[in-house]
Amino acid sequence: MSQQLTEQGHGHYIGGEWIDSTGRGPASSRTQSDDDGSERTFESENPATGETLATFQRGTTTDVDAALEAANDAFEDWRDLSYIDRAEYLWDIYHELRDRHEELGEIVSKECGKEISEGKADVTEAWHMVEWAAGNARHPHGDIVPSEVAGKDSFMRRKPRGVIGCITPWNFPVAIPFWHMAIALVEGNTVVWKPAEQTPWCGQIIAEMMDDAGIPDGVFNMIQGFGDAGAAITDDDRVDTVLFTGSAEVGHEIAGKVGSEPGKLAACEMGGKNGIVVTEEADMDIAVHSAVMSSFKTTGQRCVSSERLIVHEDVYDEFKAQFVDIVEDIAVGDPLEEDTFMGPAIEADHVEKIRQYNDLAREEGANVLVDRFELEDSEIPDGHAEGHWVGPFVYEIDYEPDLRCLNEECFGPHVALIEYSGDVEDAVEIHNDTPYGLAGAIISEDYRQLNYFRDRADIGLAYANLPCIGAEVQLPFGGVKKSGNGYPSAREAIEAVTERTAWTMNNSTDIEMAQGLSADIKTSED
């Protein structure tokens, strides 16, 4: 456990110092109160056991104001450093992430409930992103653009936008913060970050890493807390770009507010109602394996999880039988155990949300194939009765475009099987018929079907003969339609945290214009 603990809980990291919260936030079910009833702290909870892991102070608007002031004051000195000097700070963090891989992976699993291989992979993904961002500091930046005038040189250059507000989710509590912050920092911006309230311990450790690396005061700042602290960050005029990963509802609210402010930008990566198309030309082993991975890894709590399996009528019965057989036996259990496939849901409110979507599917005519929502007592590990346990729920339903269960994201182990007839064009039409457009996959041995899906599926992340989960850090990560605008990772994130400058320099002693525009100055005497 980290050491920045006061009697009132872990504080915030602002301007290079650990500080206590300076005010009080609104009520929350996970807060502790002062004698006057005002909330001052909240708890990190292990979703597998219900036990408290640590206590944290809840950020206020006053705390956010101090963090933004520190970030704003630090910006000019930070941008004056070279790319390479800025990246040097991140190399220390890269090595710490690698050295503490096992320890941090276990912390991730304890705090957000992901099974242990996923907890470790979260940390690995973080160091991959730091490696990419820091290594990119030595790569070419900008472009030389030919001019139609021989005496001119033209360039495209980038400069940092300024203060970046980062709001990150609980399901990737180490990886996604570094998606946002590693690139923002190397590009010369300063950062104010609010981790998810469900995973403040991971946030605490990342802030300690930044402190240990000697990041200059004010360049990185962290505020713990809830949505009110996040809103105070995103709404402030000092924030030039908002990087958000989370729910569509919150993301669209942020994008709407930020989009109305001239010069301000919001890069939001949100949810999905992702689908896998299994054609009549599919390899059935690959199809079933991909579907199980896509639907139930992280207990379905990934923005790229598949909640719709769109299967051709010629292979539907075979696929259904094999898929259901495996799902009925998926190992749900202690996320720290190597033989666990699915851990718990993140919190009690989310268990209830999953229940409501399972009930909705029944109301809309679903034929339930697997209902392990309420696990048997024997399936719950000893000492874990207070955890937020939930099992797989699988149903088949006739496709209708207006069904809520096929259009709304559950964000849990809730999966629909949809039978289709006809060609791959018909499958892709069903696949695209949701408000979302994040991730999807096609399983087929016919390259023409694969290419049709690649070109016509309305998604930002497309997979062939693979699960529709994950993306290597050097690839873009984001979606279309309600799922966002595709900025959050690698080169695309650079677009969000920098501004382009088209720089043209005249090398001649004369002025000559492009497009045949006359450079002659004429006076009335002429």
Side-chain angles (χ1 to χ4, degrees):
M1 179 64 69
S2 48
Q3 301 301 311
Q4 310 300 333
L5 182 65
T6 70
E7 291 182 359
Q8 296 182 337
H10 297 272
H12 316 290
Y13 187 74
I14 299 174
E17 296 181 350
W18 294 96
I19 70 160
D20 290 338
S21 194
T22 55
R24 301 289 181 262
S28 162
S29 61
R30 297 202 307 174
T31 59
Q32 298 176 356
S33 301
D34 285 330
D35 292 339
D36 63 1
S38 58
E39 274 68 26
R40 55 187 173 86
T41 62
F42 67 104
E43 297 174 346
S44 169
E45 179 185 271
N46 183 331
T49 64
E51 68 176 326
T52 296
L53 297 170
T55 301
F56 297 84
Q57 295 189 25
R58 181 167 180 167
T60 67
T61 55
T62 304
D63 299 322
V64 171
D65 180 71
L68 289 170
E69 182 178 1
N72 198 51
D73 290 346
F75 172 61
E76 289 298 333
D77 287 343
W78 181 245
R79 75 181 295 182
D80 285 344
L81 297 179
S82 71
Y83 274 96
I84 294 164
D85 285 343
R86 293 192 294 259
E88 284 297 324
Y89 291 99
L90 291 185
W91 284 119
D92 288 344
I93 294 170
Y94 164 82
H95 289 293
E96 185 170 358
L97 287 166
R98 295 199 65 160
D99 292 344
R100 300 175 67 187
H101 183 213
E102 297 285 328
E103 172 205 350
L104 296 181
E106 185 172 317
I107 290 172
V108 170
S109 291
K110 282 182 177 179
E111 192 167 47
C112 77
K114 295 200 290 191
E115 57 89 6
I116 189 62
S117 77
E118 292 189 86
K120 294 176 183 177
D122 197 88
V123 180
T124 302
E125 188 172 337
W127 88 56
H128 284 175
M129 191 69 254
V130 173
E131 179 183 42
W132 189 94
N136 192 53
R138 290 187 179 269
H139 289 185
H141 286 68
D143 300 292
I144 299 174
V145 184
S147 172
E148 65 184 74
V149 178
K152 291 180 181 177
D153 289 329
S154 298
F155 307 89
M156 193 282 286
R157 296 175 57 84
R158 291 189 179 275
K159 59 185 179 182
R161 287 184 60 83
V163 178
I164 309 298
C166 298
I167 313 294
T168 58
W170 54 264
N171 59 340
F172 287 83
V174 178
I176 290 180
F178 282 110
W179 285 10
H180 290 191
M181 298 189 297
I183 292 171
L185 292 169
V186 171
E187 291 295 324
N189 303 277
T190 57
V191 165
V192 176
W193 172 46
K194 191 199 85 67
E197 61 267 25
Q198 295 90 346
T199 50
W201 184 10
C202 291
Q204 173 78 19
I205 291 171
I206 291 172
E208 290 175 356
M209 287 183 177
M210 294 285 189
D211 189 27
D212 292 343
I215 298 277
D217 296 352
V219 169
F220 165 84
N221 306 272
M222 180 198 68
I223 302 292
Q224 298 279 18
F226 288 69
D228 53 329
I233 293 170
T234 61
D235 295 351
D236 196 280
D237 291 341
R238 289 167 289 187
V239 173
D240 297 282
T241 292
V242 175
L243 300 179
F244 170 83
T245 301
S247 71
E249 291 73 22
V250 175
H252 293 150
E253 182 180 355
I254 290 171
K257 288 181 179 178
V258 171
S260 65
E261 300 180 35
K264 195 168 177 178
L265 187 146
C268 299
E269 189 273 302
M270 296 167 281
K273 191 70 174 177
N274 310 298
I276 296 179
V277 171
V278 179
T279 80
E280 73 280 11
E281 302 294 337
D283 179 303
M284 200 51 52
D285 290 338
I286 292 176
V288 173
H289 193 165
S290 297
V292 172
M293 290 280 290
S294 299
S295 299
F296 303 113
K297 270 295 181 184
T298 325
T299 317
Q301 298 169 123
R302 288 176 178 243
C303 57
V304 292
S305 296
S306 60
E307 296 185 9
R308 298 178 303 139
L309 307 177
I310 304 159
V311 184
H312 193 274
E313 59 184 354
D314 289 355
V315 296
Y316 182 81
D317 288 341
E318 180 184 3
F319 175 87
K320 179 173 73 171
Q322 293 187 30
F323 182 74
V324 166
D325 185 57
I326 292 174
V327 174
E328 286 179 335
D329 199 39
I330 280 177
V332 182
D334 183 346
L336 297 179
E337 295 295 331
E338 297 285 350
D339 57 359
T340 292
F341 188 83
M342 267 179 54
I346 184 63
E347 56 191 357
D349 287 349
H350 196 56
V351 173
E352 180 57 30
K353 177 185 176 183
I354 295 168
R355 181 197 301 276
Q356 291 172 1
Y357 273 102
N358 293 351
D359 291 344
L360 174 64
R362 288 190 178 91
E363 293 167 8
E364 294 191 314
N367 176 38
V368 178
L369 303 173
V370 179
D371 185 359
R372 295 177 60 196
F373 174 78
E374 293 187 1
L375 297 173
E376 300 290 336
D377 289 345
S378 60
E379 296 182 89
I380 298 173
D382 291 342
H384 291 64
E386 300 303 314
H388 308 306
W389 296 104
V390 60
F393 183 84
V394 179
Y395 59 98
E396 57 186 354
I397 195 164
D398 293 335
Y399 167 69
E400 293 181 19
D402 295 331
L403 291 175
R404 287 179 56 202
C405 66
L406 298 183
N407 282 282
E408 297 179 12
E409 182 183 35
C410 173
F411 209 65
H414 166 103
V415 183
L417 270 62
I418 304 164
E419 184 176 0
Y420 81 94
S421 58
D423 298 325
V424 69
E425 291 88 343
D426 301 292
V428 172
E429 183 177 350
I430 296 171
H431 175 276
N432 290 345
D433 192 21
T434 79
Y436 293 96
L438 184 55
I442 181 170
I443 313 299
S444 174
E445 297 298 297
D446 183 333
Y447 78 91
R448 292 181 178 86
Q449 292 182 335
L450 300 180
N451 289 345
Y452 185 88
F453 181 87
R454 177 197 67 192
D455 295 340
R456 300 298 181 91
D458 294 338
I459 46 180
L461 302 165
Y463 301 87
N465 296 320
L466 284 167
C468 65
I469 57 173
E472 296 178 36
V473 300
Q474 66 271 20
L475 292 168
F477 190 97
V480 298
K481 300 194 292 190
K482 194 176 179 180
S483 294
N485 51 20
Y487 279 127
S489 187
R491 285 177 295 181
E492 279 61 34
I494 294 175
E495 297 277 351
V497 299
T498 61
E499 293 174 341
R500 300 181 186 185
T501 300
W503 171 250
T504 303
M505 184 171 68
N506 183 23
N507 298 316
S508 173
T509 56
D510 297 321
I511 293 179
E512 182 181 354
M513 304 303 292
Q515 293 101 36
L517 176 68
S518 172
D520 295 340
I521 297 176
K522 299 178 181 179
T523 67
S524 57
E525 294 181 0
D526 295 336

